Amino acid sequence: GPPSSRCQAALALSMTLCIAGRTEEALLEGLDALARSREGEDPRAIGACLALLSKLYANAGFADAAAALNG
């Protein structure tokens, strides 16, 4: 499918995994979503992915990585 659809699917899966407490897998899906959003050159999707990844990194105990994404 198109990058935007794959981005949305990866974001949804990432959020679901996060809720289930599977942080590492959520991070991987979040990174995949970011790659698809960049592939599709969608600024709103890129922002959403970065916001989610920042929260995921913070939840995983990587405050420096979270801060860098907010930077």
Side-chain angles (χ1 to χ4, degrees), residues 4 6-7 15-16 18 25 28-29 32-34 38 42 44 48 54-55 57 61-62 64 66 69:
S4 60
R6 294 189 330 214
C7 174
M15 291 171 50
T16 302
C18 179
E25 290 141 321
L28 288 173
E29 288 300 327
D32 184 54
L34 179 60
R38 288 184 172 166
D42 184 344
R44 287 182 55 207
S54 177
K55 288 182 182 189
Y57 276 118
F62 299 108
D64 291 343
L69 290 172

Side-chain angles (χ1 to χ4, degrees), residues 11-43:
L11 268 179
L13 181 55
S14 179
M15 291 171 50
T16 302
L17 289 167
C18 179
I19 291 168
R22 296 168 60 181
T23 306
E24 290 177 5
E25 290 141 321
L27 280 166
L28 288 173
E29 288 300 327
L31 289 169
D32 184 54
L34 179 60
R36 299 308 137 234
S37 67
R38 288 184 172 166
E39 181 182 340
E41 300 177 357
D42 184 344

Side-chain angles (χ1 to χ4, degrees), residues 43-64:
R44 287 182 55 207
I46 292 170
C49 292
L50 290 174
L52 176 63
L53 283 168
S54 177
K55 288 182 182 189
L56 290 172
Y57 276 118
N59 288 344
F62 299 108
D64 291 343

